[in-house]
Amino acid sequence: MKKKLIALGVAGALAAPLIATAQGTHVTIFGRLQAEYSTVHINGNGAQTGILDDAAQSRWGLQVAEDLGMGLRAMGRVEFSFNPGSGRSDSAREQWVGLGSDQWGELKFGRVQSPFKDFAGGHTIDPFAYTSLHANGSGGLMTASQNGLGSGDNSFVNSAARYDSPVVEGFSMSALLMPGDARKLDPSRANAGSAAFTPGVLDPLASGNPFQNSGGEDGEWDFQIAGKYSQQFDALGVNIFGGYSRDNVSNRMKSLGGVIDDEEIWRGGALISFADLRVRGQYEAINNANPLGGAATCTTAAAFGNAAGSLTLDGRGQCNSAMNANGDGWLWIAGADYTIGNTMLIVQGGMATAQSIGALAKKDIENITAGVIHSLSRRSSLFGGYQRVWVKDRNLAAVGLDADRNVYSVGLRHDF
């Protein structure tokens, strides 16, 4: 009996510092589990069906907050993704530390999301974001830039500082700054000297260490700024947003040769709701699509396959939102949804055009999507629908890769 009491006393003594350290700090475990039974059929390829989370939305993480007094709080977030159905653990997601205040907003440092993704339009106006029916990437109606070089619209931006303002009379803003000369490697990419590296992959950033960084040696200072106005007038809700993204090229990028200019993306749109009906639209104009991680490429999740290529060997991957390298283009999406009880009915569509430049011919993409999301609870939902993408890529037609796309999907999601 004495031995048991001694053991309990020692355990309590060891645990005491941990409890003291944790005092005043709140740690929340959060995550998402998602799987879809989806069929992707690209003309000229066999239909590919799987029970997976190819949109890479399953994740787990820790949210940390500490009250510092005087209205100030310390914050932190660590998040990792995985893919149910494949047994694969993919990569790091958000990883940052920051300070926040109700008076002046929040400031984060580290690996963060882009304001174009979660603040002004983008995934915030697409009900099927984070599913195989999404509007960006393979859907072709929104930019889906790769990670680490500029906007990171569908992914995360390394080595960045992000500021989100408080809401004042319905107005708010968000800004992202990614300093140049950042030599930190992107943990989601395989080092060319490692066993995980796959030679021949059509990813210009995976060709070796010199190009696997956020800004590059002698890099410029990439940034993004966005603002919005949100207000509720009785049954009428108004959300108007706009933003600007600039991906400056570095000397290291220029050393690759060819014409590589600074990339600019202008975005504007609105979401209007009246009772249970919502209508939305977004327009993006792109100048000088950066071929190294900018609007001329897609993330792997957005393309459902190889990030830089148009098709993968499994017949699921396409990057329909990509502009021609160093060229201009535009994308737009419009849609509506109507909620009946716990069920949301959705229809949306749009178009993307990549203008011709040099030897690269014009590319046009059109899309229509219809589906439903049914909430089982506040945290669990069922979703499904159909998406048709018409592809007219004159660059790929000659080699038989200019292929329309059909997607049928039903999935289950649980947030915790």
Side-chain angles (χ1 to χ4, degrees), residues 242-261:
Y244 173 75
S245 175
R246 187 176 181 90
D247 183 356
N248 296 306
V249 298
S250 66
N251 291 344
R252 188 171 290 276
M253 298 177 198
K254 293 176 182 177
S255 70
L256 296 177
V259 179
I260 304 178
D261 207 346

Side-chain angles (χ1 to χ4, degrees), residues 69-313:
M70 303 294 291
L72 189 66
R73 59 185 177 275
M75 310 177 299
R77 188 180 183 98
V78 180
E79 187 179 23
F80 297 91
S81 69
F82 56 94
N83 188 339
S86 72
R88 187 177 74 242
S89 177
D90 287 328
S91 63
R93 292 172 58 88
E94 287 188 88
Q95 296 182 344
W96 51 262
V97 62
L99 293 171
S101 166
D102 293 337
Q103 286 71 40
W104 54 261
E106 295 182 348
L107 185 61
K108 304 170 184 175
F109 302 94
R111 178 174 164 92
V112 299
Q113 294 196 82
S114 148
F116 267 30
K117 179 180 180 181
D118 66 2
F119 177 80
H123 288 192
T124 66
I125 65 166
D126 179 11
F128 284 127
Y130 313 116
T131 75
S132 60
L133 302 171
H134 62 188
N136 64 350
S138 55
L141 306 184
M142 296 181 184
T143 55
S145 305
Q146 286 199 65
N147 183 19
L149 292 167
S151 67
D153 183 64
N154 189 59
S155 189
F156 306 90
V157 184
N158 287 345
S159 183
R162 173 171 168 170
Y163 170 72
D164 293 278
S165 77
V167 179
V168 180
E169 299 295 332
F171 292 94
S172 58
M173 61 86 65
S174 180
L176 176 78
L177 176 65
M178 193 177 71
D181 296 322
R183 297 296 303 272
K184 297 293 185 181
L185 300 185
D186 178 354
S188 69
R189 298 190 183 280
N191 188 313
S194 72
F197 178 72
T198 304
V201 173
L202 297 177
D203 184 348
L205 297 177
S207 59
N209 284 336
F211 312 110
Q212 287 188 358
N213 52 65
S214 298
E217 184 180 1
D218 301 321
E220 298 295 334
W221 290 67
D222 301 334
F223 69 92
Q224 192 172 96
I225 187 167
K228 66 181 177 182
Y229 172 74
S230 300
Q231 200 63 267
Q232 189 72 34
F233 304 96
D234 294 327
L236 178 66
V238 177
N239 187 320
I240 303 172
F241 56 86
Y244 173 75
S245 175
R246 187 176 181 90
D247 183 356
N248 296 306
V249 298
S250 66
N251 291 344
R252 188 171 290 276
M253 298 177 198
K254 293 176 182 177
S255 70
L256 296 177
V259 179
I260 304 178
D261 207 346
D262 298 336
E263 175 187 279
E264 296 179 298
I265 303 177
W266 297 88
R267 169 183 288 181
L271 189 154
I272 309 297
S273 62
F274 183 79
D276 296 323
L277 175 67
R278 300 192 308 170
V279 294
R280 57 190 174 276
Q282 175 177 289
Y283 176 85
E284 294 175 286
I286 298 172
N287 298 324
N288 306 318
N290 194 320
L292 300 179
T297 54
C298 283
T299 62
T300 301
F304 278 3
N306 186 287
S310 180
L311 291 176
T312 53
L313 295 177

